[in-house]
Amino acid sequence: MILNFNSQSLKALEKNKRAHFINSLGGFKSVALVGTSDKVGNTNLAVFSSIFHVGANPPLIGLIFRPSPPERNTFANIIETGFYTMNHINESIINQAHQTSARYDKGISEFEITGLNSEYKDGFFAPYVAESSIQSGIEFKEKIDISINNTTLIIGEIIQVYFPEDCLASDGFIDIEKANTITCSGLDSYHKTIQLDRLSYAKPNQEITSLVNKQ
Amino acid sequence: MILNFNSQSLKALEKNKRAHFINSLGGFKSVALVGTSDKVGNTNLAVFSSIFHVGANPPLIGLIFRPSPPERNTFANIIETGFYTMNHINESIINQAHQTSARYDKGISEFEITGLNSEYKDGFFAPYVAESSIQSGIEFKEKIDISINNTTLIIGEIIQVYFPEDCLASDGFIDIEKANTITCSGLDSYHKTIQLDRLSYAKPNQEITSLVNKQ
């Protein structure tokens, strides 16, 4: 049976229920660990599911911050230092990734708490997650206030990428499923994926074809 | 073997390769069909993978539009009429959903071209996709120009939701996997999912537990 909720029923939902419901409604989400450090090297790690593609040229990625988020140290570090990392999550680290969403004091590093290892390379300021198979180094570019609900959009440019060579297709596509990257839904549900198909570029009056060699 | 691309190597990539690469890098994405109509009832349908959760109270969803997008009719209709629908995609309609990304003239409805059926209900102005199992009716709220790459962020409030009753958990979570909602990666790769776990709300000094009854 199909249920219908309208504005009134959504408003009437208890706060946590509404958070679960609305967060589920947007569909499957990108989920990644964002690594930062303050000026003196105190590291921070936080899981984000509000990451989205903004553009490919220049390569830009967006991140939504809530008004008073548990990830407030991440926000402060990005503004203070200008750099952060985005690290894909795989099945073996979902519990550790999820644990970073707890509200730790600023003095406490989620790297230490969870046992995930920080990794610095190629002179990039912010720490990567060593256990992550696809890592990006990002430079802060723009902060946009979303006044309607007091959230903040942070846009950054991807300036470093590390990824497994065997996941790169000849057309530039990265097979993130092969890299064991997972997805999430709602506030706390983690999922692995099974590729259904890759489809050819769509044009009017032309049949779509599969780009995948089906066995 | 791990490869490294930096700003220079990213800039050096051929345009389409870079689009595939950067679009893959953000992780799995929400993918949905956005249904609109102009003032006189000409319908439009376009697939979007730049959908993201903005907030639960009020229930807000964001959508990124490129400078001169194939989905330009969607943009014009949202601004002109103030209403649009977001319809989850399931395995049985991925080819039709993908076909909506072709650049059709304004006079042509992607509903007709793809054979997907439009559905109007509860007096909502914009058409839903009948084949979609989770449908939202959205009211336009805010347009934010992202000057760094001339994209536009459209924020809307969810005012109607239709979903299968048996997918709703007692805590408000919607099991979108059970509803056969799929995810995408890159520009053209579609994936179904397998839930790994739902995890309890994380707190400092407290073990995370599974919210799922594992068989």
Side-chain angles (χ1 to χ4, degrees):
Chain A
M1 200 184 120
I2 301 298
L3 288 187
N4 169 227
F5 282 3
N6 60 20
S7 286
Q8 280 67 42
S9 17
L10 291 173
K11 264 181 206 128
L13 285 174
E14 181 271 325
K15 188 182 167 231
N16 287 323
K17 261 194 186 174
R18 186 175 48 230
H20 279 292
F21 187 85
I22 300 296
N23 268 283
S24 307
L25 209 57
F28 289 101
K29 297 181 282 189
S30 174
V31 60
L33 285 161
V34 174
T36 56
S37 164
D38 68 11
K39 272 186 198 160
V40 293
N42 294 309
T43 60
N44 195 276
L45 191 64
V47 66
F48 276 82
S49 65
S50 59
I51 297 165
F52 57 96
H53 175 82
V54 175
N57 186 23
L60 298 174
I61 202 112
L63 209 52
I64 297 278
F65 285 85
R66 288 173 285 167
S68 175
E71 65 274 14
R72 64 200 179 285
N73 300 328
T74 301
F75 186 82
N77 288 344
I78 291 174
I79 300 298
E80 183 180 316
T81 70
F83 295 98
Y84 49 113
T85 67
M86 177 180 70
N87 307 273
H88 283 206
I89 297 169
N90 50 64
E91 183 171 356
S92 62
I93 60 170
I94 62 173
N95 282 48
Q96 291 153 297
H98 192 72
Q99 185 63 45
T100 65
S101 64
R103 291 178 183 252
Y104 293 106
D105 293 334
K106 173 159 169 50
I108 293 175
S109 170
E110 291 82 2
F111 280 104
E112 276 175 45
I113 288 286
T114 61
L116 292 169
N117 289 290
S118 62
E119 184 176 73
Y120 290 91
K121 44 195 176 186
D122 294 321
F124 193 76
F125 183 80
Y128 296 97
V129 175
E131 288 80 0
S132 173
S133 57
I134 299 181
Q135 307 163 324
S136 300
I138 303 172
E139 184 177 354
F140 167 71
K141 285 291 166 183
E142 201 168 337
K143 170 178 161 302
I144 296 173
D145 294 318
I146 300 178
S147 55
I148 190 169
N149 69 342
N150 294 315
T151 52
T152 307
L153 167 57
I154 292 288
I155 295 176
E157 181 174 341
I158 299 166
I159 61 173
Q160 290 285 357
V161 187
Y162 302 88
F163 61 98
E165 186 178 16
D166 63 353
C167 293
L168 182 65
S170 57
D171 63 0
F173 173 75
I174 314 173
D175 188 341
I176 63 174
E177 181 172 292
K178 191 173 176 183
N180 297 315
T181 296
I182 58 150
T183 177
C184 78
S185 69
L187 292 167
D188 52 30
S189 185
Y190 298 90
H191 308 251
K192 61 181 178 180
T193 61
I194 298 174
Q195 190 183 52
L196 296 165
D197 216 341
R198 281 192 71 194
L199 299 175
S200 60
Y201 188 80
K203 291 180 180 176
N205 307 315
Q206 188 178 295
E207 193 85 12
I208 283 170
T209 56
S210 172
L211 302 179
V212 179
N213 280 324
K214 295 275 175 61
Q215 276 81 9
Chain B
M1 200 184 121
I2 300 298
L3 288 186
N4 169 229
F5 283 3
N6 60 21
S7 286
Q8 280 67 43
S9 17
L10 291 173
K11 266 183 202 124
L13 284 174
E14 181 272 324
K15 186 180 167 233
N16 288 323
K17 261 194 185 171
R18 185 174 48 231
H20 280 291
F21 186 85
I22 299 296
N23 268 282
S24 307
L25 209 56
F28 288 101
K29 297 182 282 189
S30 173
V31 60
L33 285 161
V34 174
T36 56
S37 165
D38 67 12
K39 273 185 199 160
V40 294
N42 294 309
T43 59
N44 195 277
L45 191 64
V47 65
F48 276 81
S49 66
S50 59
I51 297 163
F52 57 96
H53 174 82
V54 175
N57 187 22
L60 299 174
I61 201 112
L63 209 52
I64 298 277
F65 285 86
R66 289 172 285 166
S68 174
E71 65 273 14
R72 65 200 178 285
N73 299 328
T74 301
F75 185 82
N77 287 344
I78 291 175
I79 300 298
E80 183 180 315
T81 71
F83 295 98
Y84 50 112
T85 68
M86 177 179 70
N87 307 271
H88 283 204
I89 297 169
N90 50 63
E91 182 171 356
S92 62
I93 61 171
I94 61 173
N95 281 49
Q96 291 152 298
H98 191 72
Q99 185 64 44
T100 66
S101 63
R103 291 178 183 252
Y104 292 106
D105 292 335
K106 173 158 170 47
I108 294 175
S109 170
E110 291 81 2
F111 281 104
E112 275 175 48
I113 288 286
T114 61
L116 292 169
N117 289 291
S118 62
E119 186 177 71
Y120 290 90
K121 45 194 176 187
D122 294 320
F124 193 77
F125 183 81
Y128 296 96
V129 175
E131 288 80 359
S132 172
S133 58
I134 300 182
Q135 307 164 324
S136 300
I138 303 172
E139 184 176 355
F140 167 71
K141 285 290 165 184
E142 199 169 340
K143 172 178 159 302
I144 296 174
D145 294 317
I146 299 179
S147 55
I148 190 170
N149 69 343
N150 294 315
T151 53
T152 307
L153 165 58
I154 292 288
I155 295 177
E157 180 174 342
I158 298 166
I159 61 173
Q160 290 283 358
V161 187
Y162 302 88
F163 60 97
E165 186 178 16
D166 63 353
C167 294
L168 182 65
S170 57
D171 64 359
F173 174 75
I174 314 172
D175 189 342
I176 63 173
E177 181 173 292
K178 191 173 176 183
N180 296 316
T181 296
I182 58 150
T183 177
C184 79
S185 68
L187 292 167
D188 52 29
S189 186
Y190 297 90
H191 308 250
K192 61 181 177 181
T193 62
I194 298 174
Q195 190 183 51
L196 295 166
D197 215 342
R198 280 193 71 194
L199 299 176
S200 61
Y201 189 81
K203 292 180 180 176
N205 308 315
Q206 189 179 294
E207 193 86 12
I208 284 170
T209 55
S210 174
L211 302 178
V212 178
N213 281 324
K214 294 273 177 60
Q215 278 80 8

